[in-house]
Amino acid sequence: MVKQICWHQTILLSNEHSWDLDRLHKVAIEDEPAFRQAYYGGRLVTTTIQWQSASYIDEYLCDGHEEEYGELFDRITDYLCYFDACSLYPAQMIDKPIACGPMRLVNDITLEEEREYIYQIELEAKSGKPGTWSSRLVQVDITCPTDLLIPFLMRRDEQGRNQQTLLPITRLWYAGPELVEACLLGYKITRIYAYYRFRYFEVLYQSFIEKNYKLREKHPSGAMNLLPKFKMNSASGKGAQRNILMISIILIGAEMYAPRPATVTETKTIFSNGFYDQPLACMVQCPQTVTTTPFCLNATVWILSWSRVHMSRFMREIDGYRNVERSPKYGDTDSLFITAATALCASAYFFGKKLGQFKNEMPS
């Protein structure tokens, strides 16, 4: 059964799994830019940190460990681990609250209120529990710490590409969970311009994730394992990504030489048996439609925000933000390359095959 919420916004429901549509109220189209700005994805580390591993190895060799160094690379699994978070997005959806329902923009903040709000956010960070500010979308100025090897808060350049820097942040929107986590890492909020307040802040997907996860456990492989996996991921942080559907057109004869629309993004010419002066046809590609995957954008923002916080907590556990030797050699949305010695510094609680736990995928 399919129910329409509002403009282009559809949620697929079944008899077994459903959500309260009132609590999944879509943000108004005129307010969407703020939520789009806060949609940073789950990515944590964007580039390989080559200089760290190189300097570490050079230092090790200078201490007279040449033979041990060679043996380490004979058994790479003794040196390096590749940890992947099991179903990162569903792991957040099963127990993390999401801001939803009717919302209100508050932008008439006095200086006294601003100071109090900053104090409340810092207090919430120290408590370690989701509170009022985890449920809000906030527009802020932030001073970044200068000693992080890997920045946590993200931003976008003029082309909309994600960036990670430690430059001052001005008038950017962030979801509450990321803002609270950033305070723990030494980021300092200096201004609060506005925030969105929602009617609800609660767990929405627990029964949906639990039922599908049990199906995966019951069927360790095959189609019955993949189907619930796809269902869990389809109602996740991937929901608000833009889709560009392309159409290919074959041009022949005089059509090949006619003016082409400005929307054409790629052109391929087909020649006759290698004779490059005898074109037979031309294939052009252009976008047919640009759509947004049907999903509530505010729910997506919170799922991704909690996912980045989940990865950041593991980073804090191994002291990966400030310790060169323990910092990841590489990382992406839901995985990290770290040394085996670094892995021993983390609590056993983080490792396993349950939702959100880290499993070592380095082949033995």
Side-chain angles (χ1 to χ4, degrees):
M1 148 172 92
V2 179
K3 288 191 178 182
Q4 190 73 21
I5 297 182
C6 57
W7 68 283
H8 86 250
Q9 206 55 39
T10 310
I11 283 194
L12 299 178
L13 304 176
S14 69
N15 293 331
E16 190 176 5
H17 310 298
S18 63
W19 300 288
D20 183 342
L21 297 186
D22 290 335
R23 297 181 189 277
L24 287 175
H25 180 77
K26 176 69 178 65
V27 299
I29 190 168
E30 63 270 16
D31 296 325
E32 188 174 358
F35 289 81
R36 278 281 168 198
Q37 190 181 95
Y39 178 80
Y40 287 106
R43 191 167 297 278
L44 176 71
V45 189
T46 56
T47 57
T48 306
I49 311 170
Q50 296 174 337
W51 67 271
Q52 288 185 15
S53 53
S55 62
Y56 174 73
I57 291 171
D58 289 342
E59 212 174 294
Y60 202 70
L61 285 173
C62 292
D63 289 340
H65 294 279
E66 293 89 346
E67 294 182 4
E68 186 179 346
Y69 170 82
E71 187 177 345
L72 280 173
F73 278 82
D74 286 337
R75 296 178 289 127
I76 189 63
T77 51
D78 290 346
Y79 171 70
L80 198 64
C81 297
Y82 170 44
F83 285 109
D84 180 77
C86 303
S87 301
L88 177 62
Y89 292 156
Q92 311 315 307
M93 296 163 70
I94 198 170
D95 62 1
K96 297 296 189 301
I98 291 172
C100 53
M103 64 184 186
R104 177 184 164 221
L105 175 64
V106 179
N107 55 10
D108 53 346
I109 301 172
T110 66
L111 184 60
E112 290 75 16
E113 289 174 330
E114 181 183 66
R115 290 173 180 168
E116 177 63 22
Y117 293 161
I118 293 173
Y119 173 74
Q120 290 174 5
I121 295 172
E122 293 173 347
L123 206 61
E124 187 171 324
K126 294 176 183 177
S127 74
K129 298 179 180 179
T132 299
W133 287 97
S134 292
S135 68
R136 293 176 176 176
L137 191 78
V138 193
Q139 187 183 37
V140 291
D141 285 353
I142 293 178
T143 301
C144 303
T146 58
D147 60 342
L148 294 185
L149 296 171
I150 300 169
F152 172 65
L153 288 180
M154 303 181 77
R155 68 190 79 198
R156 287 191 175 86
D157 61 15
E158 294 178 355
Q159 286 74 41
R161 295 171 297 194
N162 285 348
Q163 290 186 328
Q164 287 173 281
T165 77
L166 293 176
L167 298 173
I169 293 170
T170 306
R171 282 186 175 270
L172 293 186
W173 290 91
Y174 290 99
E178 285 175 88
L179 210 52
V180 170
E181 176 71 12
C183 288
L184 285 176
L185 297 173
Y187 288 82
K188 298 295 182 184
I189 302 170
T190 55
R191 287 291 309 273
I192 296 180
Y193 295 97
Y195 63 87
Y196 281 96
R197 186 170 66 193
F198 294 81
R199 179 175 297 176
Y200 308 110
F201 186 52
E202 57 191 40
V203 177
L204 297 176
Y205 304 97
Q206 183 173 359
S207 62
F208 174 78
I209 298 297
E210 284 178 346
K211 289 175 182 178
N212 280 284
Y213 187 66
K214 286 178 181 177
L215 283 173
R216 292 202 69 194
E217 289 184 317
K218 186 177 179 180
H219 304 280
S221 61
M224 290 303 294
N225 178 273
L226 291 176
L227 183 60
K229 176 183 178 180
F230 292 150
K231 287 173 67 178
M232 287 193 297
N233 285 332
S234 66
S236 73
K238 300 176 183 178
Q241 293 176 346
R242 285 193 172 93
N243 301 314
I244 303 178
L245 305 180
M246 304 298 293
I247 184 171
S248 298
I249 304 171
I250 303 295
L251 305 176
I252 60 175
E255 294 176 339
M256 289 189 289
Y257 306 101
R260 291 172 189 161
T263 55
V264 170
T265 59
E266 186 176 353
T267 302
K268 293 181 180 178
T269 304
I270 304 169
F271 296 94
S272 173
N273 296 324
F275 293 97
Y276 295 108
D277 57 343
Q278 301 177 29
L280 289 179
C282 193
M283 184 180 75
V284 299
Q285 287 188 324
C286 53
Q288 184 180 28
T289 56
V290 179
T291 64
T292 301
T293 307
F295 196 77
C296 294
L297 184 54
N298 51 306
T300 296
V301 167
W302 258 262
I303 293 169
L304 294 177
S305 183
W306 282 122
S307 298
R308 298 196 65 242
V309 170
H310 182 86
M311 297 297 290
S312 181
R313 286 171 178 167
F314 183 70
M315 283 281 289
R316 287 195 281 113
E317 175 74 8
I318 62 174
D319 194 20
Y321 280 114
R322 291 179 168 88
N323 189 320
V324 172
E325 294 182 6
R326 296 184 183 180
S327 191
K329 308 308 174 188
Y330 174 81
D332 59 19
T333 302
D334 60 354
S335 60
L336 297 167
F337 278 93
I338 59 176
T339 64
T342 299
L344 294 175
C345 300
S347 166
Y349 163 81
F350 286 93
F351 304 111
K353 295 183 179 180
K354 295 181 180 179
L355 281 175
Q357 288 187 316
F358 292 86
K359 58 181 178 181
N360 191 0
E361 305 245 1
M362 182 70 75
S364 57

PDB file of all heavy atoms in Angstrom, residues 35 57 107 117 130 146 156 166 169 174 191 196 203 316 334 346:
ATOM      1  N   PHE A  35      17.920  22.065   5.599  1.00  0.00           N
ATOM      2  CA  PHE A  35      18.072  20.634   5.825  1.00  0.00           C
ATOM      3  C   PHE A  35      19.044  20.025   4.820  1.00  0.00           C
ATOM      4  O   PHE A  35      19.807  19.128   5.154  1.00  0.00           O
ATOM      5  CB  PHE A  35      16.708  19.945   5.748  1.00  0.00           C
ATOM      6  CG  PHE A  35      15.827  20.270   6.911  1.00  0.00           C
ATOM      7  CD1 PHE A  35      15.097  21.443   6.961  1.00  0.00           C
ATOM      8  CD2 PHE A  35      15.750  19.408   7.996  1.00  0.00           C
ATOM      9  CE1 PHE A  35      14.299  21.758   8.041  1.00  0.00           C
ATOM     10  CE2 PHE A  35      14.955  19.703   9.086  1.00  0.00           C
ATOM     11  CZ  PHE A  35      14.225  20.885   9.117  1.00  0.00           C
ATOM     12  N   ILE A  57      56.448   4.441  10.020  1.00  0.00           N
ATOM     13  CA  ILE A  57      57.312   3.332   9.602  1.00  0.00           C
ATOM     14  C   ILE A  57      58.771   3.769   9.584  1.00  0.00           C
ATOM     15  O   ILE A  57      59.666   3.047  10.052  1.00  0.00           O
ATOM     16  CB  ILE A  57      56.870   2.812   8.218  1.00  0.00           C
ATOM     17  CG1 ILE A  57      55.519   2.110   8.343  1.00  0.00           C
ATOM     18  CG2 ILE A  57      57.900   1.853   7.636  1.00  0.00           C
ATOM     19  CD1 ILE A  57      54.887   1.744   7.025  1.00  0.00           C
ATOM     20  N   ASN A 107      14.241  32.236  15.297  1.00  0.00           N
ATOM     21  CA  ASN A 107      15.394  33.040  14.859  1.00  0.00           C
ATOM     22  C   ASN A 107      15.485  34.401  15.546  1.00  0.00           C
ATOM     23  O   ASN A 107      16.275  35.250  15.154  1.00  0.00           O
ATOM     24  CB  ASN A 107      15.370  33.238  13.339  1.00  0.00           C
ATOM     25  CG  ASN A 107      14.069  33.844  12.847  1.00  0.00           C
ATOM     26  OD1 ASN A 107      13.242  34.288  13.647  1.00  0.00           O
ATOM     27  ND2 ASN A 107      13.884  33.853  11.543  1.00  0.00           N
ATOM     28  N   TYR A 117      21.924  28.856  25.655  1.00  0.00           N
ATOM     29  CA  TYR A 117      21.826  27.725  24.728  1.00  0.00           C
ATOM     30  C   TYR A 117      23.185  27.051  24.523  1.00  0.00           C
ATOM     31  O   TYR A 117      23.276  25.821  24.503  1.00  0.00           O
ATOM     32  CB  TYR A 117      21.275  28.194  23.377  1.00  0.00           C
ATOM     33  CG  TYR A 117      19.839  28.673  23.416  1.00  0.00           C
ATOM     34  CD1 TYR A 117      19.333  29.476  22.397  1.00  0.00           C
ATOM     35  CD2 TYR A 117      18.994  28.327  24.470  1.00  0.00           C
ATOM     36  CE1 TYR A 117      18.014  29.918  22.415  1.00  0.00           C
ATOM     37  CE2 TYR A 117      17.682  28.773  24.506  1.00  0.00           C
ATOM     38  CZ  TYR A 117      17.200  29.570  23.480  1.00  0.00           C
ATOM     39  OH  TYR A 117      15.893  29.997  23.510  1.00  0.00           O
ATOM     40  N   PRO A 130      21.215  11.800  24.735  1.00  0.00           N
ATOM     41  CA  PRO A 130      20.490  12.713  23.848  1.00  0.00           C
ATOM     42  C   PRO A 130      19.513  13.565  24.634  1.00  0.00           C
ATOM     43  O   PRO A 130      18.746  13.058  25.452  1.00  0.00           O
ATOM     44  CB  PRO A 130      19.749  11.760  22.888  1.00  0.00           C
ATOM     45  CG  PRO A 130      20.459  10.460  22.998  1.00  0.00           C
ATOM     46  CD  PRO A 130      20.987  10.388  24.398  1.00  0.00           C
ATOM     47  N   THR A 146      42.489  23.119  16.805  1.00  0.00           N
ATOM     48  CA  THR A 146      43.594  23.083  15.836  1.00  0.00           C
ATOM     49  C   THR A 146      44.452  21.824  15.945  1.00  0.00           C
ATOM     50  O   THR A 146      45.393  21.657  15.167  1.00  0.00           O
ATOM     51  CB  THR A 146      44.500  24.310  16.033  1.00  0.00           C
ATOM     52  OG1 THR A 146      44.985  24.314  17.392  1.00  0.00           O
ATOM     53  CG2 THR A 146      43.717  25.586  15.768  1.00  0.00           C
ATOM     54  N   ARG A 156      30.554  22.453   2.928  1.00  0.00           N
ATOM     55  CA  ARG A 156      30.583  22.303   1.472  1.00  0.00           C
ATOM     56  C   ARG A 156      31.257  23.503   0.815  1.00  0.00           C
ATOM     57  O   ARG A 156      31.173  24.624   1.310  1.00  0.00           O
ATOM     58  CB  ARG A 156      29.161  22.155   0.915  1.00  0.00           C
ATOM     59  CG  ARG A 156      28.542  20.808   1.223  1.00  0.00           C
ATOM     60  CD  ARG A 156      27.263  20.605   0.435  1.00  0.00           C
ATOM     61  NE  ARG A 156      26.734  19.273   0.644  1.00  0.00           N
ATOM     62  CZ  ARG A 156      25.932  18.935   1.645  1.00  0.00           C
ATOM     63  NH1 ARG A 156      25.574  19.848   2.516  1.00  0.00           N
ATOM     64  NH2 ARG A 156      25.495  17.710   1.764  1.00  0.00           N
ATOM     65  N   LEU A 166      39.671  22.650   9.293  1.00  0.00           N
ATOM     66  CA  LEU A 166      39.599  23.216  10.643  1.00  0.00           C
ATOM     67  C   LEU A 166      39.489  24.743  10.588  1.00  0.00           C
ATOM     68  O   LEU A 166      39.784  25.422  11.566  1.00  0.00           O
ATOM     69  CB  LEU A 166      40.821  22.785  11.456  1.00  0.00           C
ATOM     70  CG  LEU A 166      40.893  21.286  11.766  1.00  0.00           C
ATOM     71  CD1 LEU A 166      42.192  20.943  12.478  1.00  0.00           C
ATOM     72  CD2 LEU A 166      39.703  20.844  12.604  1.00  0.00           C
ATOM     73  N   ILE A 169      33.901  28.147  11.099  1.00  0.00           N
ATOM     74  CA  ILE A 169      32.612  27.843  10.482  1.00  0.00           C
ATOM     75  C   ILE A 169      31.667  29.019  10.720  1.00  0.00           C
ATOM     76  O   ILE A 169      31.536  29.494  11.850  1.00  0.00           O
ATOM     77  CB  ILE A 169      32.025  26.553  11.078  1.00  0.00           C
ATOM     78  CG1 ILE A 169      32.894  25.357  10.671  1.00  0.00           C
ATOM     79  CG2 ILE A 169      30.579  26.346  10.643  1.00  0.00           C
ATOM     80  CD1 ILE A 169      32.548  24.068  11.402  1.00  0.00           C
ATOM     81  N   TYR A 174      23.663  22.520  11.306  1.00  0.00           N
ATOM     82  CA  TYR A 174      24.066  21.179  11.725  1.00  0.00           C
ATOM     83  C   TYR A 174      22.952  20.545  12.546  1.00  0.00           C
ATOM     84  O   TYR A 174      22.264  21.234  13.315  1.00  0.00           O
ATOM     85  CB  TYR A 174      25.346  21.216  12.562  1.00  0.00           C
ATOM     86  CG  TYR A 174      26.579  21.583  11.769  1.00  0.00           C
ATOM     87  CD1 TYR A 174      27.066  22.898  11.788  1.00  0.00           C
ATOM     88  CD2 TYR A 174      27.241  20.641  10.996  1.00  0.00           C
ATOM     89  CE1 TYR A 174      28.181  23.252  11.054  1.00  0.00           C
ATOM     90  CE2 TYR A 174      28.367  20.988  10.258  1.00  0.00           C
ATOM     91  CZ  TYR A 174      28.832  22.289  10.294  1.00  0.00           C
ATOM     92  OH  TYR A 174      29.935  22.627   9.553  1.00  0.00           O
ATOM     93  N   ARG A 191      28.356  31.495  18.072  1.00  0.00           N
ATOM     94  CA  ARG A 191      27.092  32.170  17.782  1.00  0.00           C
ATOM     95  C   ARG A 191      26.020  31.139  17.451  1.00  0.00           C
ATOM     96  O   ARG A 191      26.296  30.103  16.866  1.00  0.00           O
ATOM     97  CB  ARG A 191      27.231  33.108  16.568  1.00  0.00           C
ATOM     98  CG  ARG A 191      28.000  34.382  16.799  1.00  0.00           C
ATOM     99  CD  ARG A 191      27.273  35.366  17.701  1.00  0.00           C
ATOM    100  NE  ARG A 191      25.903  35.627  17.303  1.00  0.00           N
ATOM    101  CZ  ARG A 191      25.539  36.556  16.420  1.00  0.00           C
ATOM    102  NH1 ARG A 191      26.461  37.303  15.819  1.00  0.00           N
ATOM    103  NH2 ARG A 191      24.268  36.762  16.149  1.00  0.00           N
ATOM    104  N   TYR A 196      15.626  24.975  14.388  1.00  0.00           N
ATOM    105  CA  TYR A 196      14.315  24.370  14.164  1.00  0.00           C
ATOM    106  C   TYR A 196      13.973  23.492  15.358  1.00  0.00           C
ATOM    107  O   TYR A 196      14.793  22.674  15.804  1.00  0.00           O
ATOM    108  CB  TYR A 196      14.314  23.520  12.891  1.00  0.00           C
ATOM    109  CG  TYR A 196      14.202  24.318  11.619  1.00  0.00           C
ATOM    110  CD1 TYR A 196      15.335  24.670  10.891  1.00  0.00           C
ATOM    111  CD2 TYR A 196      12.958  24.715  11.138  1.00  0.00           C
ATOM    112  CE1 TYR A 196      15.236  25.394   9.721  1.00  0.00           C
ATOM    113  CE2 TYR A 196      12.842  25.440   9.965  1.00  0.00           C
ATOM    114  CZ  TYR A 196      13.988  25.774   9.257  1.00  0.00           C
ATOM    115  OH  TYR A 196      13.884  26.497   8.093  1.00  0.00           O
ATOM    116  N   VAL A 203      12.228   7.311  18.748  1.00  0.00           N
ATOM    117  CA  VAL A 203      12.640   6.191  17.884  1.00  0.00           C
ATOM    118  C   VAL A 203      11.465   5.811  16.984  1.00  0.00           C
ATOM    119  O   VAL A 203      10.364   5.576  17.474  1.00  0.00           O
ATOM    120  CB  VAL A 203      13.088   4.985  18.733  1.00  0.00           C
ATOM    121  CG1 VAL A 203      13.452   3.810  17.829  1.00  0.00           C
ATOM    122  CG2 VAL A 203      14.266   5.372  19.626  1.00  0.00           C
ATOM    123  N   ARG A 316      37.092   8.234  19.125  1.00  0.00           N
ATOM    124  CA  ARG A 316      37.484   8.710  20.456  1.00  0.00           C
ATOM    125  C   ARG A 316      37.993   7.559  21.317  1.00  0.00           C
ATOM    126  O   ARG A 316      38.921   7.716  22.107  1.00  0.00           O
ATOM    127  CB  ARG A 316      36.298   9.394  21.145  1.00  0.00           C
ATOM    128  CG  ARG A 316      35.973  10.762  20.564  1.00  0.00           C
ATOM    129  CD  ARG A 316      35.060  11.566  21.470  1.00  0.00           C
ATOM    130  NE  ARG A 316      33.660  11.173  21.375  1.00  0.00           N
ATOM    131  CZ  ARG A 316      32.957  10.599  22.332  1.00  0.00           C
ATOM    132  NH1 ARG A 316      33.529  10.305  23.499  1.00  0.00           N
ATOM    133  NH2 ARG A 316      31.676  10.310  22.158  1.00  0.00           N
ATOM    134  N   ASP A 334      31.577   3.963   6.658  1.00  0.00           N
ATOM    135  CA  ASP A 334      31.316   2.977   7.715  1.00  0.00           C
ATOM    136  C   ASP A 334      32.486   2.045   7.979  1.00  0.00           C
ATOM    137  O   ASP A 334      32.305   0.973   8.557  1.00  0.00           O
ATOM    138  CB  ASP A 334      30.074   2.151   7.365  1.00  0.00           C
ATOM    139  CG  ASP A 334      30.240   1.385   6.056  1.00  0.00           C
ATOM    140  OD1 ASP A 334      31.265   1.582   5.368  1.00  0.00           O
ATOM    141  OD2 ASP A 334      29.340   0.590   5.713  1.00  0.00           O
ATOM    142  N   ALA A 346      40.789  -0.605  22.094  1.00  0.00           N
ATOM    143  CA  ALA A 346      39.344  -0.392  22.164  1.00  0.00           C
ATOM    144  C   ALA A 346      38.676  -1.482  22.996  1.00  0.00           C
ATOM    145  O   ALA A 346      39.134  -2.630  23.035  1.00  0.00           O
ATOM    146  CB  ALA A 346      38.739  -0.368  20.763  1.00  0.00           C
TER     147      ALA A 346
END
